[in-house]
Amino acid sequence: MSVEVRPLGGIGESVKRKEDARFLRGKGNYLDDLTLPGMLHMAILRSPHAHARIRAIDTSMAQAAPGVVAVVTGELLAQHKLAWMPTLSGDTQAVLATDKVRFQGQEVACVVAETRYQAEDALQLIDVDYEVLPAITSPQQAMAEGAPLIRDDKQGQQDNHIYHWEAGDREATDRAFASAAKVVRLTTHYPRSHPAPLETCGIVADVNPATGKATLYMTSQAPHAIRTVFSLVAGLPEHQIRIIAPDIGGGFGNKVPVYPGYVVATAASLLLGRPVKWVEDRTENLISTGFARDFHMTGELALDHDNRMIGLRVSLLSDNGAFYADAQPSKFRAGLFHIVTGSYDIPAAHVTADGYYTNKAPGGVAYRCSFRVTEASFLIERLVTNAALELGIDQTELRLRNFIRPEQFPYRSATGWVYDSGDYQRAMRLAMEKLGYEDLRREQAERRARGELMGIGVASFTEVVGAGHGAEFDIMGLRMFDSAELRVHPTGKAVLKLGVKTQGQGHETTFAQIVAQELGIPAADVEVQHGDTDNTPYGLGTYASRSTPTAGAATAVVSRKLRDKARKLAAHLLEAAEEDLEWERGRFFVRGSPERAKTIQEVAFAAYTNLPEGMEPGLEGVTYYDPPNMTFPFGTYMVVADVDRGTGQVKVRRVVAVDDCGVRINPMIVEGQIQGGLCEGWGIAFTEQITFDPDGNCIGSNFTDYLLPTAWETPEFETYATVTPSPHHPLGAKGVGESATVGSPAAYVNAVIDALWPLGVTNIDMPVTPDKVWAALRARGVGE
Amino acid sequence: MFPGSFDYRAPTTLDEATTVLSERGEEAKVLAGGQSLIPLLKLRLASPALLVDIGRIPGLDRIELRDGGLTIGARVRHADLERDRRLATTFALLAETAPWVSDPLVRNLGTVGGSLCHADPAGDWGSVMLALGAELVLRSRAGERVVQASSFFVAPFEPALRPDELLTEIRIPAPRGRSAGTYLKLERKVGDFATVGVALQLEMTDGHVARCGIGLTAVAPTNREATEAGAALVGKELTDEAIAKAAQLAAAAADPRDDIRGPADYKRDVVRVFVQRGLRTLRRSLEEARS
């Protein structure tokens, strides 16, 4: 058998992305590309009010409109016990409103018609009689005396409070503050943002009336978990549900939850016996699906006489919207926010969190952020910068003095995390060197003398990503492991099936590289399949930077299992003892006789043709991997910015990013993740916000007002790496998909504050817009 | 983002177009580049019964320089002005404004005439035409009439255009003496409407200001000319004091509102800053051109 010599494409190689050929040529298969025979189209009527009682809904005109097949209301769903559904955080959410609407954009009724245009025309004919109620648009309003009760549907719910949650040690923290030489305080709002994937959410529900099987094509980051949820919600047997997530055009957490449109489309297909498609338009996506952040935070940092951090106290108010629908591990009410001690060796810390209902859209998702880690990282990095500025010592010096030292790992934090590995000093020193930090500080001093406003921002983040392990991390009780199934064909080509699901992260390439590394089959010969629950092993899905820590580990482990079997086969073929065989990537050979060798392809063929006595045929396996711990990627970002005295505009001049995500499987893809995250971080820092007026009207309802950054306005990013492997991950890898969105917002804002600090400006809440900067300048008599 | 249903006509002559508009103008919208109208249709903010597409009428896409003046056809696209190299030395204000209009995708399709007829107070071209003292030529079955840019912008999204009329061209008079122009725009991101825009056209004879046109974007119910500010400079040398005074008068002429882009006093101050910066830049460029 002849063997083609091909590049391996193992770990550390910047293999070009396999998936790009179809995406770049328009040959991908996104949900809205799908058309099934007899397919109907659904459109959703949404509430124009943030808070209103529904007196009556008249659908008679819509029912009679051309092309309309059905009009669905909450009342109709209630007859099938589907008017409400459980959320991922153990609350309930209205599928279609029956009693009240609780946010602008809430689903009120659906029209199913022969075409989408007919469905949209008919929506305008539905007459809803609303009694408008006062709206609540912040947790401060929600907790006020006499605030209107939003969730009067919930038995026993007397106010708008959802949860109270604490982490850390209150007494130890109080003692630290009592002995502090200096306490620095910061109150800030991390504004509501939105993942805004380019492809909006949607479903094609196809319930076969003959077999009863529901095939649900869905833009889902977590098809298996969603199948289980659907089974529980709809009472359908789980084996009768098949979820297929086709190509997905970005998720960023937005495509984790179950949305009302999915439920109604499925119910409609079940009742009508025809496939039903529903795809959100841009406004629907922005006003009703999983938002992110919206935390009001106060942090206090205690330092001793040597400028050592000795205590951290944080209280936060979470604006969860009308239903508590955060997608996060169930034991953690404010996500993993208690990573808030960040990169610092702070012996005492305490966090309190309180969540409130408001008349805003529900669904706090981990927008490119491992469950509220972004908010935590932002708070500590803003606090540390303000502490340095208040103490009059350099921002890098204060950080270097207080970093957890390399020899302290594994490091147990004051809020209970066990950090796996890190070398924060090294990352920061590299960033300083690449930026030319000292020179820029000199330039800043010269510019200041001329009245110019220039700032250098620093952030040294530490993330916690890769949930589980399963005993601690679960969603609706489902343990957060993940899986990989590897099947090597007789000719030595392989198919790898995953429980996770790419939305653009490049799984079809990187996971093939892991197989290449571990089993010696070239990455080009490994097809990665994912997204189809009938065809892949169970997993919790792709979000929170968890695919590499969980499914990546599973892929390595299953590859090694197969390699063990391959060794037995090779020993049989070479008529040698197993222990006399050496493995080099792609082949086994007899120790001392390298010419006596069998390639992995030859071994694979033997697995189907020439087996030792008693061995099961085939070369395949499946692994479910429950990680022993999270991974803790980290890095230092530095930003140089100039502020326009006349207009308040901030011009970011340079961004230097040093990231350490452990071993990099595909450095090019990692680079892309970081570039994208730095870009999104810029947007969050300077332009993006889902705004509400006092009546609860959502202002950021389209891309004219929800300002996603593009290559045009974002600066050039200079990226560098250090590599500190994770000691517990089979490949030494950590998650990286979110590092830059987590770490960069603070660096951008710190640059602005650094520029304005001498004027007495200590904080500007994000987004740092020109008018806010202008107001801060004019308030201190600075102008042009 | 699914528009309601509408009829569609694509006349191939101006006469055919004006005939259609004379019959159904009240229920029609004219479609040129579609970069404002189509989003309005998709959001169902506009639901006209008829679209009259002027894309097939020949001759509306000319840019003609004659006797120092300029004629811009109604269907000239933003990108056409952006790419016309003659403008840098004749009407720099046009050349400078074009790249500020939205983003390249919009500029490749959207038209200058369409933008003017949309009469969005945040539109860039309205201010530019005010600063240049442009005239708009409107055609109907009844004939042709010429309206000054200063009379064209009646109210937000309301131009002085009858339902049976079609804009056919924009005429810009020849500048007096040596001229320079610039456009300053504050936007939240590329492609955004202006938070504040200032169009400046400066015309100098013998070291004195012969004419100064100042058009303001997004700080009044319509594009607005800061006439007092411009008039205050006429006959004067362009000193720092004169510039500062004009900048203050321009800021006083602005009537902005608080909105998501910022409070009114911010926008008014940016008008002042922009007029001051812009006039200083123009003074410098005229000085450099002389030396």
Short mmCIF file of all heavy atoms in Angstrom, two decimals, chain A residues 97 130 253 473 482 579 599 603 674 774:
data_model
loop_
_atom_site.label_atom_id
_atom_site.label_comp_id
_atom_site.label_asym_id
_atom_site.label_seq_id
_atom_site.Cartn_x
_atom_site.Cartn_y
_atom_site.Cartn_z
N ALA A 97 -47.02 36.35 25.53
CA ALA A 97 -47.60 36.99 26.72
C ALA A 97 -49.08 36.68 26.84
O ALA A 97 -49.82 36.72 25.85
CB ALA A 97 -47.38 38.49 26.64
N TYR A 130 -53.80 47.40 25.06
CA TYR A 130 -52.86 47.45 26.19
C TYR A 130 -53.30 48.49 27.22
O TYR A 130 -53.76 49.57 26.86
CB TYR A 130 -51.46 47.87 25.72
CG TYR A 130 -50.74 46.88 24.86
CD1 TYR A 130 -50.59 47.10 23.49
CD2 TYR A 130 -50.15 45.74 25.42
CE1 TYR A 130 -49.89 46.21 22.70
CE2 TYR A 130 -49.45 44.85 24.63
CZ TYR A 130 -49.32 45.08 23.27
OH TYR A 130 -48.61 44.20 22.49
N GLY A 253 -22.42 33.74 22.58
CA GLY A 253 -23.31 33.56 23.72
C GLY A 253 -24.77 33.79 23.39
O GLY A 253 -25.66 33.28 24.05
N PHE A 473 -20.01 22.53 38.12
CA PHE A 473 -20.63 23.33 37.07
C PHE A 473 -21.66 22.48 36.32
O PHE A 473 -21.32 21.44 35.77
CB PHE A 473 -19.58 23.84 36.09
CG PHE A 473 -18.55 24.70 36.74
CD1 PHE A 473 -17.35 24.16 37.18
CD2 PHE A 473 -18.79 26.05 36.96
CE1 PHE A 473 -16.40 24.96 37.80
CE2 PHE A 473 -17.86 26.85 37.59
CZ PHE A 473 -16.66 26.30 38.02
N ASP A 482 -17.58 17.48 28.24
CA ASP A 482 -17.84 17.39 26.80
C ASP A 482 -17.19 16.14 26.22
O ASP A 482 -16.58 15.36 26.96
CB ASP A 482 -17.46 18.67 26.06
CG ASP A 482 -18.68 19.18 25.29
OD1 ASP A 482 -19.01 18.58 24.26
OD2 ASP A 482 -19.32 20.14 25.77
N GLU A 579 5.94 -3.52 23.85
CA GLU A 579 6.87 -2.66 24.58
C GLU A 579 8.15 -2.40 23.79
O GLU A 579 8.92 -1.52 24.15
CB GLU A 579 7.18 -3.23 25.97
CG GLU A 579 7.60 -4.69 25.99
CD GLU A 579 6.41 -5.69 25.97
OE1 GLU A 579 5.28 -5.28 25.63
OE2 GLU A 579 6.62 -6.87 26.27
N THR A 599 2.93 2.52 9.34
CA THR A 599 2.28 3.83 9.50
C THR A 599 0.91 3.64 10.14
O THR A 599 0.34 2.54 10.14
CB THR A 599 2.10 4.53 8.15
OG1 THR A 599 1.17 3.76 7.38
CG2 THR A 599 3.43 4.65 7.41
N VAL A 603 -1.80 0.58 9.85
CA VAL A 603 -2.40 -0.02 11.04
C VAL A 603 -3.92 0.05 10.96
O VAL A 603 -4.63 -0.90 11.28
CB VAL A 603 -1.87 0.70 12.31
CG1 VAL A 603 -2.66 0.23 13.54
CG2 VAL A 603 -0.38 0.43 12.49
N ILE A 674 -8.01 36.92 19.09
CA ILE A 674 -7.55 38.07 19.88
C ILE A 674 -7.81 39.37 19.13
O ILE A 674 -8.30 40.35 19.70
CB ILE A 674 -6.07 37.89 20.26
CG1 ILE A 674 -5.98 36.74 21.28
CG2 ILE A 674 -5.49 39.17 20.84
CD1 ILE A 674 -4.60 36.18 21.46
N TRP A 774 -16.06 65.39 26.84
CA TRP A 774 -16.19 66.85 26.73
C TRP A 774 -16.77 67.43 28.04
O TRP A 774 -16.26 68.44 28.55
CB TRP A 774 -17.09 67.18 25.54
CG TRP A 774 -17.44 68.62 25.38
CD1 TRP A 774 -16.74 69.56 24.68
CD2 TRP A 774 -18.59 69.28 25.91
NE1 TRP A 774 -17.39 70.77 24.76
CE2 TRP A 774 -18.52 70.63 25.50
CE3 TRP A 774 -19.67 68.86 26.69
CZ2 TRP A 774 -19.50 71.57 25.86
CZ3 TRP A 774 -20.64 69.79 27.05
CH2 TRP A 774 -20.55 71.13 26.64
#
